[in-house]
Amino acid sequence: MAVQNGRSGRSRGDHARPAPHVIVLFGATGDLAKRKLLPGLHHLFRAGLLPESFRVIGSAPKQSAVSDDEFKKVANSACHQFGNCKPDDSWDDFATRLSFGAADPDDPSPLVAAVEAAEKAITGEISRRKNHPPIGRLFHLAVPPVAFSSVVNMLGSSGLANEDSRVIIEKPFGTDLASSKALNADVHKVFDETRVFRIDHFLGKESVDNVLAFRFANGLFEPVWNRQHIKYVQIDVPETLTVEGRAGFYDATGAYRDMVVTHLFQVLGFVAMEPPTSLAARPLRDEKSKVYDALKPIDVRHVVRGQYAGYRDIPGVPKDSDTETMIAVRAEIDNWRWHGVPFFLRSGKALAESRQVITLGFHTPPVRMFRTHRQDAPLGQVNEIVIDFADPGSISIDFMAKLPGPEMTLGASKMSFRYEDSFAAANALEGYERLILLAMLGDQSLFTRADGIERVWEISEPLLTTPPPVVPYEVGSWGPAAVSKLIHPFRWRLS
């Protein structure tokens, strides 16, 4: 990574650099801001990818407000603890761009004054340039979902949401079809769809986006990326973490709303889409939307909801809670490419491993003329493409090869690509970093569109309305036994 210090730093490589911006972080002293947003902005600054002239304003309700100096200390501590690049001699240059402006729905005046002061300072920096662009405003709502509508309404009523402003909205975007439609309506009263960026940090991952390159840039793979050759797809995101410390939020949300709607279906869209005419926002999101249109409503007979042992003993969790801490779902896409191919989605807490894996399993060869070395690995279960999209990410292909010796006996083999071995790791941006940069550039290609999120909630209605009861499972296991029955006659890659 080429580090650039100061206002004159050039962008890395040939990447576009945003116009001057004021970036407002709502929830600026919260966990997400400390872990991802503040370290991410610092990394973008050090990489020379932020605008030459910018300001970052933290915001929170007045009861949680801090001074400018206190906010700078919060940011410094966050970057030291969670940042990929730690504060160095350039920190003071970054910190001079930080300030804080409290905002309550009925009194946003401190934030309005902070934004006006920031724009005045930027205007002084760019006024000497000819034909300088307007100053953009980017509002990032790192606040509880119940506050989305009130914050957006405040941005509209205060005049902060001008024609040069955009908004990033965190997940989950609604809790069902009705709430997502209501939230979209509230947001569209202030921001038209071209200025709304519903963020899913999974889609900012290099390894997820590499699915598009792997498929569409390689004639070796795209011809077999269909029902004629692929017999199942798995998108598996288990976690070893429990819900300790997040019980209040989690019990009202559950694994399906928290992970499957928000993340796994977005990844499914990349895996299953038809080739877009380009990677611009409209054609890319149009093809994802076609996938969602072809999704069948979730059949609750093909769903397993689990709850790990001891969950109901956590403070804040009702003793009779029916919230799932793990879920496995069979989804089906009823179109020409994928008809009859099951997509198995699984995610949950307190499971055996923390992984993020896409697996595409291929059909068995029609003639079995070979013997295998391992009797527990028949030919049809070792031909898989495995995409690990946990940073830094990898792609491997499992296939059969002849074992050395006089007989024609086969053994399982693997070819692998790993990001950390193939490219300079310092060039990588984390998901949030990349998506914040794209939002400043106005590029919506990796963000969720209103019709897409509403369609996913629509096909989820049968499950949300009449969910099957939760089944207990042990901490550190792969979930209840019914998870293996769900995928039969296949097997989970992670098991």
Side-chain angles (χ1 to χ4, degrees), residues 150-476:
S150 63
V151 173
V152 169
N153 181 65
M154 181 268 291
L155 292 174
S157 61
S158 66
L160 285 168
N162 62 15
E163 62 182 9
D164 296 312
S165 63
R166 302 185 179 105
V167 62
I168 295 177
I169 302 179
E170 285 288 337
K171 61 97 172 174
F173 195 90
T175 58
D176 54 21
L177 180 59
S179 61
S180 67
K181 284 184 173 181
L183 180 54
N184 275 325
D186 288 343
V187 171
H188 288 155
K189 291 175 184 176
V190 180
F191 297 91
D192 63 59
E193 184 64 20
T194 65
R195 297 188 291 148
V196 180
F197 293 75
R198 299 170 192 81
I199 196 167
D200 170 16
H201 70 275
F202 273 34
L203 298 189
K205 288 172 170 283
E206 298 276 7
S207 47
V208 171
D209 300 335
N210 200 35
V211 173
L212 300 180
F214 184 72
R215 283 187 62 187
F216 301 131
N218 296 290
L220 181 63
F221 301 113
E222 174 54 27
V224 299
W225 208 272
N226 55 58
R227 60 186 171 87
Q228 301 294 337
H229 302 276
I230 294 173
K231 63 180 178 180
Y232 60 84
V233 179
Q234 300 173 28
I235 303 174
D236 206 359
V237 185
E239 298 179 271
T240 58
L241 294 175
T242 65
V243 301
E244 297 285 354
R246 299 178 65 223
F249 161 79
Y250 198 89
D251 194 68
T253 305
Y256 187 78
R257 289 180 171 93
D258 186 43
M259 291 295 295
V260 178
V261 171
T262 305
H263 296 313
L264 272 62
F265 272 123
Q266 303 307 315
V267 175
L268 179 148
F270 270 24
V271 172
M273 70 166 61
E274 296 297 318
T277 55
S278 77
L279 296 180
R282 181 173 178 177
L284 190 65
R285 300 204 297 178
D286 281 349
E287 295 305 331
K288 279 184 63 184
S289 182
K290 292 176 185 177
V291 172
Y292 299 147
D293 285 344
L295 278 169
K296 292 183 177 181
I298 298 297
D299 186 339
V300 295
R301 296 173 300 175
H302 297 151
V303 175
V304 176
R305 298 171 69 240
Q307 186 182 90
Y308 68 80
Y311 172 75
R312 295 176 183 177
D313 297 329
I314 298 173
V317 175
K319 296 301 181 183
D320 60 349
S321 173
D322 192 52
T323 297
E324 79 280 355
T325 60
M326 185 237 61
I327 191 159
V329 176
R330 173 175 172 151
E332 297 183 33
I333 302 171
D334 196 13
N335 63 12
W336 189 265
R337 182 181 291 264
W338 295 112
H339 177 78
V341 178
F343 283 71
F344 297 102
L345 316 180
R346 179 174 65 174
S347 187
K349 302 292 187 182
L351 294 173
E353 294 182 44
S354 290
R355 298 286 300 277
Q356 299 172 10
V357 176
I358 303 165
T359 304
L360 299 97
F362 285 80
H363 286 293
T364 304
V367 178
R368 295 194 174 188
M369 64 185 74
F370 302 100
R371 292 193 303 113
T372 57
H373 178 63
R374 288 176 50 202
Q375 296 305 312
D376 61 338
L379 290 177
Q381 292 196 335
V382 293
N383 289 165
E384 293 179 332
I385 293 175
V386 183
I387 302 169
D388 188 329
F389 60 97
D391 293 329
S394 66
I395 299 175
S396 63
I397 300 174
D398 291 355
F399 64 101
M400 302 300 291
K402 180 185 177 298
L403 293 174
E407 296 182 350
M408 183 61 78
T409 302
L410 303 185
S413 302
K414 178 180 293 190
M415 293 188 295
S416 296
F417 156 84
R418 303 201 320 161
Y419 258 100
E420 63 182 357
D421 296 338
S422 303
F423 300 110
N427 288 336
L429 296 179
E430 285 194 344
Y432 268 107
E433 296 167 1
R434 187 174 179 210
L435 293 172
I436 290 171
L437 177 61
L438 291 179
M440 283 189 283
L441 293 169
D443 184 346
Q444 293 181 302
S445 56
L446 300 181
F447 294 84
T448 305
R449 203 164 63 186
D451 61 340
I453 190 64
E454 288 182 7
R455 174 58 182 165
V456 172
W457 283 121
E458 182 180 11
I459 65 103
S460 302
E461 284 288 282
L463 173 58
L464 300 178
T465 303
T466 55
V470 294
V471 182
Y473 65 93
E474 294 300 316
V475 172

Side-chain angles (χ1 to χ4, degrees), residues 133-150:
I135 300 171
R137 295 178 180 177
L138 180 63
F139 303 103
H140 194 133
L141 274 56
V143 297
V146 294
F148 290 163
S149 289
S150 63

